[in-house]
Amino acid sequence: KNELAQHLGEDPLPLRRAKITAEAAVKKAEKATAAASKARAQAADDAAKATESRAAAEASARQAEQDRIAAEARKQEAEAAVEEARAKVAEAEAYLEEVKAKPGQAQGALWYMSRELTEKKKYMPTAKGGIAR
């Protein structure tokens, strides 16, 4: 009986304070857990997006490499065509000179052809076979 009286006579404040503190700690832990799970979900989404971006970048790099190889091949074809055209022009000039050297040719027509070649060369860059004006 005496112990019961002592217990009932004690101040219940520390017990209530401890209970309130424990509840607050539980709520705080739940909030932290929710924030951590939200951050984990965000990190997982970001990782998935990064993986997709990396895959897209790798695909773009492969495509760019294929385009570079194709452009290199087209460049070589164009250079070969230019060289072939230069050879044909040189052949035509040599034939024109050969025809000029033969007697009995239409000198006016030959002069006009020679003049046309000279005019075309004047407007070409010197690096591509043109002559100075």
Side-chain angles (χ1 to χ4, degrees):
K1 238 182 182 182
N2 195 12
E3 288 178 12
L4 180 61
Q6 281 179 352
H7 179 65
L8 292 176
E10 284 181 1
D11 186 20
L13 186 62
L15 184 60
R16 272 192 267 150
R17 183 182 300 159
K19 185 177 178 185
I20 291 171
T21 305
E23 288 175 0
V26 167
K27 285 183 182 179
K28 189 175 182 181
E30 288 174 352
K31 285 183 183 178
T33 303
S37 65
K38 185 177 179 182
R40 182 184 304 132
Q42 182 67 32
D45 289 345
D46 290 346
K49 288 179 184 177
T51 302
E52 291 173 10
S53 296
R54 185 181 69 206
E58 288 172 353
S60 295
R62 284 191 298 273
Q63 183 63 38
E65 182 65 20
Q66 290 173 353
D67 291 347
R68 185 191 64 77
I69 291 169
E72 186 69 29
R74 286 192 299 271
K75 178 183 173 188
Q76 290 175 353
E77 289 172 4
E79 287 174 353
V82 166
E83 287 302 318
E84 183 180 339
R86 282 185 186 161
K88 288 191 179 206
V89 166
E91 181 182 335
E93 287 176 343
Y95 182 71
L96 181 63
E97 291 302 318
E98 179 185 325
V99 170
K100 276 186 192 178
K102 292 181 183 176
Q105 300 299 322
Q107 294 298 317
L110 293 175
W111 175 86
Y112 189 76
M113 285 185 234
S114 177
R115 181 71 185 162
E116 285 290 317
L117 281 172
T118 305
E119 286 296 317
K120 296 290 181 188
K121 285 183 180 182
K122 282 184 182 178
Y123 293 100
M124 284 179 60
T126 54
K128 297 195 179 200
I131 57 175
R133 292 184 195 175

